[in-house]
Amino acid sequence: MRFLRVGLFGVILASVLLPRTVAAAAHRVAVVEASSSKVPRGELAGLRADVEEIVRSLGAEVVPLAEANAVAGGDCNQPECMIALHRATGATHVLRVESVFKKGAFTLQLQMWDAAAGRTLSSDGKSCDICTLPDLHVALRDRVGALCSRVFEAEEAAPAPPPVLVPPAPPAALDVTAPAPAPAPASSTGKRIGQVGGLALAAVGVAAAVYGGYLLHLDGQVACAAGETTHCTQHHATAARGTGFLAGGIGTALVGGFLFYSFTW
């Protein structure tokens, strides 16, 4: 049971700290003090501590002072210096602080830079003619918090770049020299019907011609009348019919042969 409680506590702790860890990785700020800053010597470290505390409270990571000074060598107010800080320390932003306190009056000038691009993102500041050193601390914390929040929120709200749309490839040009599709072959059913019809007509014609020839051969021969067995006096008269069947049969056979030939070749 105790093991389950410890595990549950670990899950809850991770869910709270993980978002802050991820946010810290997103922003790494190098704090640079301007060479024109003029405050009592004992206040400089306290003012820097105020700045670092506010930056960390917003979920950002602060570049250690020694790393920043090793690159900047003091003041850093040129794009080349910002880019060098980015490459050497991994800083995503550079916060340049200029503070002046003299005779009960102070002036604050703050600049936030994009370290990778070497360009100014935003600025802030405040001045007071009758103020004390504690007022300077309060004003510095307030303006640093406002400047960093404004820059971080603007970056998080910036829309992602639109996707690059690739136009579709143009349709391939038609090849006008391509051969035309071959015509569909003629139906073999009509051809077969023509051949069969031609053969049938030829067969009928041949049969008619044979029958006509037989009638011509029979013409003039003796034929017995009904009831006669001897001395038959009648003769067949089939010449006319034989001639008609012979001529018609020959014509029909010729037409059938022509049809068969036409549908075969």
Side-chain angles (χ1 to χ4, degrees):
M1 189 70 176
R2 183 177 180 182
F3 174 77
L4 292 176
R5 290 179 180 177
V6 173
L8 181 60
F9 175 76
V11 171
I12 296 174
L13 185 62
S15 65
V16 173
L17 295 181
L18 184 60
R20 296 190 178 185
T21 303
V22 174
H27 304 293
R28 180 173 169 86
V29 182
V31 181
V32 176
E33 184 70 28
S35 59
S36 55
S37 295
K38 296 179 181 179
V39 295
R41 186 177 298 274
E43 296 296 326
L44 191 60
L47 292 173
R48 181 178 180 88
D50 289 339
V51 173
E52 293 182 352
E53 180 182 351
I54 295 300
V55 171
R56 291 192 181 99
S57 70
L58 295 175
E61 182 182 355
V62 178
V63 176
L65 177 62
E67 291 185 25
N69 285 342
V71 178
D75 197 356
C76 186
N77 59 0
Q78 297 298 323
E80 294 79 6
C81 180
M82 305 297 174
I83 296 174
L85 275 172
H86 166 69
R87 293 175 178 174
T89 67
T92 58
H93 301 80
V94 176
L95 177 59
R96 185 173 182 272
V97 181
E98 181 182 3
S99 53
V100 176
F101 184 86
K102 185 178 181 181
K103 297 180 180 180
F106 71 79
T107 301
L108 286 176
Q109 293 292 334
L110 307 174
Q111 287 182 332
M112 180 69 87
W113 289 67
D114 182 337
R119 61 185 180 90
T120 305
L121 296 174
S122 186
S123 61
D124 208 320
K126 187 175 182 179
S127 61
C128 181
D129 294 334
I130 304 176
C131 291
T132 62
L133 282 173
D135 295 330
L136 174 59
H137 283 268
V138 172
L140 179 63
R141 295 171 65 92
D142 178 63
R143 301 327 304 162
V144 168
L147 176 60
C148 291
S149 297
R150 183 166 62 250
V151 170
F152 295 160
E153 290 174 1
E155 291 179 346
E156 293 173 0
V164 178
L165 300 178
V166 179
L174 295 177
D175 186 3
V176 296
T177 62
S187 175
S188 61
T189 302
K191 181 178 180 179
R192 185 173 296 276
I193 291 175
Q195 291 175 341
V196 172
L199 288 175
L201 285 176
V204 171
V206 171
V210 170
Y211 181 65
Y214 169 74
L215 291 178
L216 289 176
H217 172 71
L218 191 61
D219 183 62
Q221 294 185 14
V222 177
C224 293
E228 293 183 343
T229 58
T230 60
H231 304 290
C232 297
T233 59
Q234 292 187 358
H235 295 81
H236 290 286
T238 57
R241 286 187 299 161
T243 301
F245 272 101
L246 180 61
I250 293 174
T252 302
L254 290 175
V255 172
F258 175 76
L259 289 174
F260 179 79
Y261 177 85
S262 299
F263 282 99
T264 303
W265 290 278

